[in-house]
Amino acid sequence: MSAPMLLQAFHWYTHGGGSLWRDIDAKSRDLAAMGITHVWLPPAYKGAAGAESVGYDTYDLFDLGEFDQKGSVPTKYGDRASLERACTALRNQGIRVIHDVVFNHKMGADERERVTVRRVNEQDRTQIEDEAFEAFAHTRFTFPGREGKHSKFIWDKSCFSGVDVIEEPDESGVYRLVNAYGEGQWNADVDQEFGNYDFLLGADVEFRNKAVSEELKFWGRWLAEQVPVGGFRLDAAKHVPAWFFKEWVGHMRDSLGDDLFVVAEYWHPDMDTLNAYLDSVDRQVMLFDVALNHRFHDASKLGRDFDLRTIFDGSLVASLPEHAVTLVDNHDTQPLQSMEACVEPWFKPIAYALILLREHGLPCIFAPDLEGATYRDKGSDENEYNVEMPAIACLPKLMEARRRFANGPQTDLFEHPFCIGFIRHGTGEAPGCVTVVSNGDASEINADLGNDHAGATFADFLGHRQDKIQVDRDGRATFPAEGGSVSVWVRCEAMEKDA
């Protein structure tokens, strides 16, 4: 079986006009040939911004680009028929379709309701004022364009725990809705940033309402009846009570199969926090390796002043490799986005080598790194910026190297602060490789490959070095890399086989 590779098939500025589903349909065969085993799609349902919505402003989970709502029938990515074709094409190529699940909040309500609220200290959400008062809030979702098709459930104020905008009086902030759940308190089983990070934005979903939790389970089953589902990416897991995702993922596994792939976006670098979260959800999910993403960002900024021997320190893949989805960048860390911590282009080949060719972790490839991207948007300073994210030229070769040569046990050669490497020893059926990276000047590492490789000749599969390396009679050789670069050394006969 091919080593798994996840592709995030979109970014925050993916072009609209309904082209994404068509593109994925057209590229499905090529993605499979590249070794992609899982494709993560953006939220496929209607957002509050209609055809302009990236998808994280959830309006109607049951509108997959089928109904005239929020000014459009299609979503930004296309209509329902195009989504169905894209998902089916991926499945037919043996690729798992990973759907983005945005349950934490809803936006774009159809009606406002009179509610009772308490003001909340935004910096310490546990501080909720005793005095309650009446106001209006946009908390009623009737989905008039859908007219009850697929689900007749109406969301009202009883389905939410908080809002960030009220009217009469007209204010914005954080407001706890007075409802029948939690005795006026937020859900406790969430991240503790700001004292309690239940509330994020919009109309915050009240998972303690049994009708709500059952509706979300029904939606998961319904989605799998409409399009192929190979797994889910759980958005904003810090803000959703862990007990709910434990229950929901368990229900989806019971309904769709135990092999369902699930990765939660619990964006936190601390291993104790992540380990506790995994315990809370019965270890049913994988997590993105936020700490490693931060290390890549720091290394790309510091250059040779970063000690590469420490690159995996504090990372999820080092501590809990069976739960780690490793990544270089994503739609939140890319330039001009909310958690901007992008990795500099010069370092991305090194970073991808370190997630694609090693023994542990499931690597996630970000679409702009494979295809490139250009866009324009405002920064936090309100100035306009043109952004170009170049395609990483050697990324397709690194993906091919994972598929062909990242085999067998691993030996780390982390001996120098600016040049490290590792050996994949291969198996009886599949060849291995020697990977060398440098964040300083051109350098080299010494490797003991064993007597099986005595006299063998190695070449750089990436073509960054043109020389050949001869292994001595004791199975030892010195493998170089250019400065600020990566080389993947493979036996010449293995490179030529099935090339």
Side-chain angles (χ1 to χ4, degrees), residues 9 41 49 136 138 156-157 178 191 222 225 230 251 258 281 290 324 408:
L41 303 181
F136 286 94
H138 291 266
D156 63 17
K157 61 186 178 182
V178 176
D191 192 77
W222 171 85
E225 294 170 355
H251 180 76
D258 288 339
V281 295
V290 179

Side-chain angles (χ1 to χ4, degrees), residues 87-98:
C87 293
T88 300
L90 291 172
R91 181 189 61 190
N92 289 346
Q93 293 298 325
I95 297 173
R96 288 175 174 254
V97 183
I98 310 305

Side-chain angles (χ1 to χ4, degrees), residues 1 23 58 72 149 161 205 212 292 303 318 338 358 372 448 450:
M1 180 180 177
D23 290 347
T58 305
S72 174
K149 188 175 181 181
S161 61
V205 170
V212 168
L292 184 59
S338 58
R358 290 177 63 78
D448 186 348

Side-chain angles (χ1 to χ4, degrees), residues 96 249-250 252-262 284:
R96 288 175 174 254
V249 171
M252 290 301 103
R253 291 195 190 281
D254 289 343
S255 302
L256 306 182
D258 288 339
D259 65 341
L260 198 68
F261 174 85
V262 184
Q284 296 182 87

Side-chain angles (χ1 to χ4, degrees), residues 145-157:
R146 183 158 54 80
E147 298 181 325
K149 188 175 181 181
H150 306 314
S151 171
K152 298 185 183 304
F153 190 82
I154 300 297
W155 294 70
D156 63 17
K157 61 186 178 182

Side-chain angles (χ1 to χ4, degrees), residues 9-15 334-335 345 348 366-376 386-392:
F10 65 100
H11 60 101
W12 196 264
Y13 301 94
T14 292
H15 293 307
Q334 73 181 102
K348 284 189 175 184
F366 190 33
D369 291 334
L370 193 59
E371 303 167 346
T374 58
Y375 54 90
R376 181 178 177 83
N386 292 313
V387 175
E388 180 175 358
M389 297 182 66
I392 306 307

